[in-house]
Structures are given as C-alpha cells and as structure tokens.
C-alpha cells in the first residue's frame, strides 16, 4: 500500500465528520437529525396555535370593549342621525320593554334613514326592540299586524312606524316624518325638507310611556250625538274607532259648566238640535281663544221650511266664517248615491289645506247627507276650505221650491257652486298679550254636516269618512307640548355633472382601482417572500 493511501485512510471522511457530535462526549445516532426536525415542526405548530389563540383573544377583547363602549358616528352634513339630548334622555329613561314596528318597504326612500335613526335609539337603550316588516315582501305578516293594530283605513295605510308598550300604541304616519318647506321652493339651493323623524319618534315614545290619552270632550244638552245615544246618533262606534289611536271621549254638559275643563284637548259639538245660549257661546269663545280646539259639525235643522240657527253663527262670523241657513244640492249624478240631490252625495274636492293631504293620497270620496254650506267670509285670510262640492252643486237659501221641484235650479238668493262645505282656521287668541305669547289660540274646524260620522259609512272601505275623522282629530289634537325637538333641514339638490366632471370620475375609477389591486398583490407577494 502506498504512502498516499495510508494518509487517505487515516483522514476522517466528510460523512464521519458530519455525524460526529459537536460537543465532546456526546454521541449522535442515525435518527438524531430526524428527531430535531420533528421538534422544530412541533415548535412552529405550537407557536402558530399560541399566536392564533392570542389573536382570537384580542378580537374577543375588542368586541367586548366595543359592546361596552358602543358608539356610532353621524357623517351627514345636516346631522340627520344625531339624536338630541331630549331623545337620548327619553330612550335611556325606559325601564320597561318597548316594541317598535317599522312598516316601510325596503324600496321606499325613507326606509334607510328611519332604520338608521331607530338603530340610534336602540344603541341608547336595551329596552327598545325593533320589528321590521316589509308590506311588499312580507305580506302575510303585515296583514296579521295590520289587523291586530287596526292599521288599515279602507284599503290603504299610511302608518310608517308603530310604537307599543303594554296596551298603549301610537302610530307615526309618513307625513309625520317629513314635510316640504314651501317657502324654500324658489331658493337657489333647492327646496328644503323638514325632516321631523326624530320629533315624531320621540313624541310617540312619550305618548305610550308618559303621555296621557288624548281627550275629546263631547258637548251634551242640545240634542247632539251622544255616547249611548239613540239610533244613528250614537257616538259609541266613533269612540271605538278613536280608542285605537289612544283617544278618549267624554261627554260634558255645557249648561252646567263655568268653563270648559282644562283636560279637554278638543271640544266637539256634533249635530245639535237646539241652539246654544249666549253664556255657553262665551264659554266656547274663551276656551278657543285660550288655546282650546273646537270641532263644529252643524247639521241643517229644518222647521217651517227654514234652517234653524245653532247660536254659533254670530260667533263664527267674528272669526271669519259664515254658516249659511241653506241646504246643499249636488246635481252631478256621478257624485250622488241616491236620486235626491240632497241625500248621500260624494265629496272628492278637499282643497289645499295641509291636514287634508292624506285625503288626496287615499283617493276615496267622503259621503255627506243633508248638509249646509259653510264658507269663509270674503277677503278673509287664514280660513281654508277643506270640503267642496262640484261645479254643478249649489246651496239653496230659499227652500220653498225644494218641496215641489224634483230637479230645482239655483235662484237669485242661492249660493252658486262649487259650494264650500267645511273650513279650517287657527284662532289667534285675544288673551295672547296677557301671557306674552303670540301663538296662543286654538284650532277650529267647521263642517256643515254631522252624518258623515254614521257607523255604516265609517266601516265602508270604499269611502274615506274614517280618514276624514282621523285627519280632523289629528289636526285638532296636536300636542306639541309633549315634544320640543326642532326638525332637521335638508336641501334637495340635483346633481349636475359636466363632461369634464365625468372625465375626472372615469380617470379616478380607471386609475385608482388598478393601483389598489397592484398594491394588494404586492403586499401578498411580500408577505409570502418573508
């Protein structure tokens, strides 16, 4: 053997060097490297599990903190979703569960706004429970609730939100949620919407939690319609209808009173057969001018071919209203339910008075029966007609021809059509100066018929008599003292884009989207490379 071969055999091989322990005295077997790899993999997996557990713990802690310190931001220009301190206080003061039903369809313009606002209320109180029912997509559920809460008036319903606690319910209509400021129609920035959603919702919560039922006082002692009255002059069915809206009726005999009770949100005089005395008229005048509200439904009472006075004629004249001793005849056969032009005729003209806007939406007629004309005095401002006959109608002042002619023509003393059948006015009270408030004074509605209260007419879905009762009740009994939240204002602006604006939008869309995708891809590549 050569000397080179001896040297080769004497040198340790590279393989032997690799297997030799790095530390003196330590031996490594053939499976030592595999065990080290297993330990490394196990360590990495354990580290991943610990990291995942820590990440999950951080997420849970963040959710817990978010739940305990819940907050929502309002990024709208007009602060539409920022609750006032009054609303926050009302929501946080709830001690019992409160159910709110949202009946706006998902496609309605107000749906998202009202839903966001309701979520703000829920964020302030865990007592508020929201039930959202889409009338279009959940028809079966909506019909059940509509029957349960008496939402339907005829074939339609304008109820957007219903608030319920216990046996008390309060309805918020679409008209209650917003209104157009007519004085802003000519503004350069566009018309202004008065968004009254928060005002309406907080008011509804107060009504079912703190507010007493609205009380209507029904006059008695002159042959009026009465609770438990005889025949068709029983106001009981009307009371049953109004109780569903948290409205109570109470009879009062004005002959025995020194003043109209303060608890009366409105005084109703429905179909008196005998005239009121001067003392009673003084009570009514003082009540209205001190802020009370009055409904007069004055049927024509015939005796010796003359319409008898009710006593209110002179008082109403001082307020700019004329109640004529007449009988209204509707000669348009398309607006009559009988052959007689005086009995059961249809009224479809509700004028321009704001409270009658809901009547135009309903689109159904009101039925009157043997009515008299009620109209504003000439050049009288602030008195609005809310019921009007057709162009072929007229009010007969001379009643003698009516006894012999089946189709009488208007005479020289008669009132030509279209005949005004009802008026609305707000009385600025003479006592306003005593309390330093120019707004003192009540609302007055006068209609030349009381038979539109007949139960069979209220129940007929093709007629809007129940809608008229609701509109008049709502207008007369607005209780603004329960809530003092100013409406939010929103300008209705149209979006006008020039060709340059459109080009800028396209450049941003076509440029920023690919850039964002590229940055995302680079981030993924870098994380994998690391």
């Amino acid at each position: 053997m050569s000397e080179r071969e001896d040297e080769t055999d004497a040198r340790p091989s590279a393989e032997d060097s690799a297997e030799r322990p790095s530390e003196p005295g330590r031996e490594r077997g053939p499976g030592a490297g595999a065990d080290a790899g297993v330990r490394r993999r196990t360590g990495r997996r354990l580290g991943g599990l610990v990291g995942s557990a820590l990440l999950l713990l951080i997420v849970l802690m963040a959710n817990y903190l978010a739940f305990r310190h819940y907050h929502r931001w309002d990024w709208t220009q007009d602060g539409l979703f920022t609750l006032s301190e009054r609303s926050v206080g009302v929501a946080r003061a709830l001690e019992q569960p409160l159910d709110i039903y949202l009946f706006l369809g998902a496609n309605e313009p107000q749906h998202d706004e009202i839903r966001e606002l309701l979520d703000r209320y829920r964020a302030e109180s865990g007592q508020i429970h929201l039930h959202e029912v889409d009338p279009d997509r959940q028809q079966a559920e909506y019909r059940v609730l509509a029957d349960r809460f008496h939402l339907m008036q005829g074939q339609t319903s304008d109820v957007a939100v219903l608030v319920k606690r216990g046996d008390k319910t309060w309805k918020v209509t679409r008209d209650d949620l917003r209104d157009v400021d007519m004085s802003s129609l000519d503004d350069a920035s566009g018309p202004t919407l008065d968004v009254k959603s928060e005002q309406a919702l907080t008011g509804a919560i107060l009504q079912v939690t703190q507010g007493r039922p609205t009380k209507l006082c029904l006059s008695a002692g002159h042959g009026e319609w009465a609770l438990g009255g005889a025949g068709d002059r029983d106001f009981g069915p009307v009371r049953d209808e109004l109780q569903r809206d948290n409205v109570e009726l109470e009879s009062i005999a004005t002959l025995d009173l020194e003043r109209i009770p303060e608890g009366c949100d409105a005084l109703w005089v429905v179909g008196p057969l005998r005239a009121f005395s001067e003392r009673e008229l003084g009570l009514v005048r003082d009540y209205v001018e001190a802020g009370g509200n009055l409904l007069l439904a004055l049927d024509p009472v015939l005796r010796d071919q003359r319409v008898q006075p009710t006593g209110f004629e002179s008082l109403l004249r001082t307020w700019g209203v004329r109640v004529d001793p007449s009988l209204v005849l509707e000669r348009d056969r398309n607006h009559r339910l009988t052959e007689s032009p005086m009995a059961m005729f249809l009224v479809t003209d509700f004028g321009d008075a704001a409270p009658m806007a809901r009547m135009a939406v309903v689109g159904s007629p009101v039925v009157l029966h043997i009515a008299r004309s009620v109209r504003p005095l000439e050049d009288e401002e602030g008195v609005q007609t809310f019921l009007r006959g057709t162009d072929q109608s007229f009010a007969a002042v001379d009643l003698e021809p009516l006894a012999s002619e089946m189709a009488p023509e208007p005479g020289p003393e008669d009132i030509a059509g279209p005949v005004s059948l009802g008026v609305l006015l707000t009385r600025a009270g003479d006592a306003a100066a005593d309390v330093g408030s120019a707004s003192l004074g009540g609302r007055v509605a006068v209609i030349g018929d009381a038979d539109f209260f007949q139960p069979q007419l209220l129940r007929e879905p093709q007629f809007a008599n129940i809608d008229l009762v609701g509109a008049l009740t709502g207008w007369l009994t607005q209780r603004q003292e329960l809530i003092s939240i100013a409406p939010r204002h929103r300008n209705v602006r149209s979006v006008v884009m020039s060709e340059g604006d459109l080009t800028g939008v396209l450049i941003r869309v076509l440029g920023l989207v690919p850039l964002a995708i590229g940055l995302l891809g680079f981030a993924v590549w870098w994380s994998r490379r690391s």
Side-chain angles (χ1 to χ4, degrees):
M1 183 180 294
S2 64
E3 188 176 0
R4 183 179 296 275
E5 292 174 346
D6 292 340
E7 292 176 358
T8 303
D9 291 339
R11 287 199 303 266
S13 65
E15 192 173 331
D16 293 337
S17 299
E19 293 178 358
R20 185 181 296 125
S22 58
E23 297 179 4
R26 182 177 177 182
E27 296 184 356
R28 295 189 62 176
D35 292 341
V38 170
R39 285 195 297 270
R40 285 194 297 269
R41 288 194 296 271
T42 302
R44 285 196 297 267
R45 291 174 181 174
L46 182 60
L49 290 174
V50 172
S52 299
L54 290 174
L55 179 61
L56 179 61
L57 180 61
I58 292 173
V59 172
L60 292 175
M61 291 177 63
N63 276 274
Y64 175 76
L65 292 174
F67 175 77
R68 291 295 303 271
H69 304 281
Y70 182 79
H71 186 74
R72 300 173 71 94
W73 284 270
D74 184 359
W75 301 103
T76 60
Q77 178 181 358
D78 305 299
L80 295 177
F81 307 119
T82 301
L83 296 181
S84 65
E85 294 182 3
R86 179 74 183 278
S87 296
V88 171
V90 169
R92 292 179 179 177
L94 293 174
E95 298 179 354
Q96 298 180 11
L98 182 80
D99 293 301
I100 299 180
Y101 294 84
L102 177 61
F103 297 120
L104 288 175
N107 296 325
E108 294 193 53
Q110 295 175 266
H111 173 271
D112 294 341
E113 294 181 7
I114 303 304
R115 176 57 195 267
E116 173 65 24
L117 195 59
L118 290 173
D119 285 340
R120 302 269 172 166
Y121 282 91
R122 295 169 63 198
E124 299 296 338
S125 173
Q127 299 288 358
I128 297 178
H129 305 287
L130 178 62
H131 312 274
E132 186 172 358
V133 180
D134 191 324
D136 298 322
R137 300 179 182 179
Q138 300 170 278
Q139 296 185 10
E141 293 88 341
Y142 178 72
R143 289 182 180 275
V144 171
L145 292 174
D147 180 68
R148 175 184 173 188
F149 296 123
H150 308 284
L151 303 180
M152 305 299 290
Q153 295 181 343
Q155 297 296 322
T156 62
S157 173
D158 63 347
V159 176
V161 179
L162 183 136
V163 181
K164 178 181 183 296
R165 195 192 75 166
D167 296 333
K168 291 184 177 181
T169 61
W170 192 263
K171 301 170 185 176
V172 178
T173 67
R174 288 166 173 80
D175 292 337
D176 294 332
L177 298 176
R178 63 172 56 191
D179 194 11
V180 178
D181 184 0
M182 303 303 293
S183 63
S184 66
L185 291 178
D186 297 329
D187 291 353
S189 59
T192 300
L193 286 178
D194 288 340
V195 182
K196 303 181 293 183
S197 308
E198 183 188 351
Q199 182 181 14
L201 293 173
T202 303
I205 294 173
L206 286 173
Q207 287 282 7
V208 299
T209 57
Q210 301 177 14
R212 60 177 175 79
T214 300
K215 181 185 288 188
L216 304 181
C217 293
L218 199 63
S219 72
H222 312 83
E224 301 98 324
W225 285 51
L227 297 173
D232 292 336
R233 298 176 69 84
D234 179 13
F235 223 74
V238 181
R239 175 190 57 193
D240 296 339
E241 292 288 342
L242 294 176
Q243 279 180 340
R244 298 167 181 170
D245 291 325
N246 202 24
V247 177
E248 294 182 351
L249 269 70
E250 177 182 332
S251 293
I252 60 171
T254 54
L255 287 169
D256 303 328
L257 297 177
E258 293 297 327
R259 59 181 300 179
I260 304 298
E262 294 182 359
C264 295
D265 295 303
L267 173 65
W268 283 20
V269 181
V270 182
L273 300 178
R274 295 181 295 276
F276 278 61
S277 66
E278 288 295 330
R279 190 186 70 83
E280 292 175 293
L281 294 174
L283 296 180
V284 174
R285 180 187 63 249
D286 294 342
Y287 167 72
V288 172
E289 294 185 347
N293 305 299
L294 174 66
L295 170 67
L296 297 174
L298 305 177
D299 277 324
V301 179
L302 300 178
R303 188 176 303 145
D304 299 330
Q305 295 187 345
R306 294 183 60 187
V307 176
Q308 300 300 305
T310 63
F312 285 100
E313 287 80 4
S314 58
L315 174 61
L316 290 173
R317 185 176 285 271
T318 64
W319 292 347
V321 179
R322 180 168 182 170
V323 180
D324 300 302
S326 63
L327 284 178
V328 175
L329 289 84
E330 180 56 75
R331 294 183 296 168
D332 186 346
R333 292 187 175 274
N334 293 325
H335 283 70
R336 281 166 31 189
L337 297 179
T338 64
E339 284 297 322
S340 171
M342 293 179 290
M344 294 292 181
F345 61 92
L346 306 177
V347 178
T348 57
D349 187 347
F350 305 111
D352 299 325
M356 295 298 111
R358 63 181 290 185
M359 304 297 296
V361 173
V362 171
S364 299
V366 168
V367 180
L368 301 185
H369 177 62
I370 308 180
R372 66 195 304 178
S373 59
V374 178
R375 51 183 171 150
L377 291 177
E378 294 182 3
D379 302 326
E380 183 67 31
E381 296 182 358
V383 181
Q384 293 180 289
T385 294
F386 73 92
L387 287 178
R388 187 182 291 113
T390 67
D391 293 338
Q392 298 184 42
S393 65
F394 74 95
V397 178
D398 183 7
L399 304 185
E400 291 187 6
L402 301 182
S404 57
E405 299 181 24
M406 291 299 296
E409 295 293 327
E413 298 181 1
D414 297 335
I415 303 167
V419 177
S420 174
L421 298 160
V423 298
L424 303 174
L425 66 114
T426 299
R427 177 66 181 164
D430 297 334
D434 298 337
V435 296
S437 172
S439 62
L440 190 64
R443 296 180 171 187
V444 180
V446 187
I447 183 171
D449 180 40
D451 292 319
F452 73 94
F453 282 111
Q454 289 184 6
Q456 61 268 29
L457 297 178
L458 298 180
R459 298 190 187 104
E460 286 292 337
Q462 66 267 32
F463 301 141
N465 288 45
I466 185 61
D467 298 275
L468 179 61
V469 174
L472 292 175
T473 304
W475 182 72
L476 288 170
T477 63
Q478 287 185 4
R479 298 177 59 184
Q480 300 296 336
E481 73 278 3
L482 287 178
I483 183 66
S484 56
I485 301 173
R488 303 312 207 291
H489 301 288
R490 167 186 287 181
N491 286 331
V492 183
R493 302 181 181 92
S494 58
V495 178
V496 180
M497 297 184 67
S498 64
E499 185 177 351
D501 295 332
L502 184 59
T503 303
V505 171
L506 291 176
I507 291 175
R508 288 177 175 85
V509 172
L510 297 178
L512 293 179
V513 171
L515 179 60
I517 295 175
L519 291 175
L520 180 61
F522 177 77
V524 173
W525 172 80
W526 183 262
S527 65
R528 290 182 176 179
R529 183 176 180 277
S530 302

